[in-house]
Amino acid sequence: MATGDDLRRLALALPGTTEAPHFDRTAFKVARIYVTLSADRASANFKLTPEEQELKCLTAPDAFSPIPNAWGRQGWTTGTLAALSEAELESALRIAWQASQPRKGRR
């Protein structure tokens, strides 16, 4: 069972990650935000591709669900931390982190 403390520790261990407030959540970003932690620290929203979102939601429906709005259709996915092992959390973080790297040719 993963926790908000696990998410923070694992996210900040990824190169270039910074932490900042984001509305009522805590955001972790490199070039762009790739995950936000809820205020109650029970869930997180991950920036996945729609394909990665579909796979996560199919293989672990108790842990992952699309955000039910336009953000969700872009791949933003809610993860229930208590339903994730630390390894599953780390995998989701790495996928989201990788997709949020600076684009080549842009500053």
Side-chain angles (χ1 to χ4, degrees):
M1 174 166 84
T3 67
D5 289 340
D6 293 329
L7 183 141
R8 183 175 187 275
R9 176 179 47 79
L10 292 168
L12 290 174
L14 294 169
T17 296
T18 60
E19 176 182 10
H22 184 71
F23 300 99
D24 64 333
R25 304 177 76 84
T26 302
F28 298 88
K29 69 179 193 171
V30 278
R32 293 175 295 284
I33 293 173
Y34 66 90
V35 66
T36 62
L37 179 62
S38 65
D40 67 5
R41 302 172 65 82
S43 66
N45 293 335
F46 299 85
K47 174 58 175 131
L48 305 176
T49 66
E51 296 79 20
E52 290 161 337
Q53 177 190 69
E54 182 178 12
L55 180 61
K56 291 283 188 196
C57 293
L58 283 173
T59 59
D62 58 323
F64 293 103
S65 60
I67 294 176
N69 59 27
W71 289 103
R73 289 188 297 277
Q74 295 175 28
W76 281 95
T77 306
T78 298
T80 302
L81 298 179
L84 295 170
S85 69
E86 189 172 318
E88 291 168 322
L89 172 60
E90 184 172 15
S91 172
L93 284 168
R94 286 191 174 280
I95 291 167
W97 172 82
Q98 186 63 45
S100 296
Q101 295 298 308
R103 295 184 182 149
K104 291 181 170 61
R106 291 182 141 183
R107 290 184 182 214

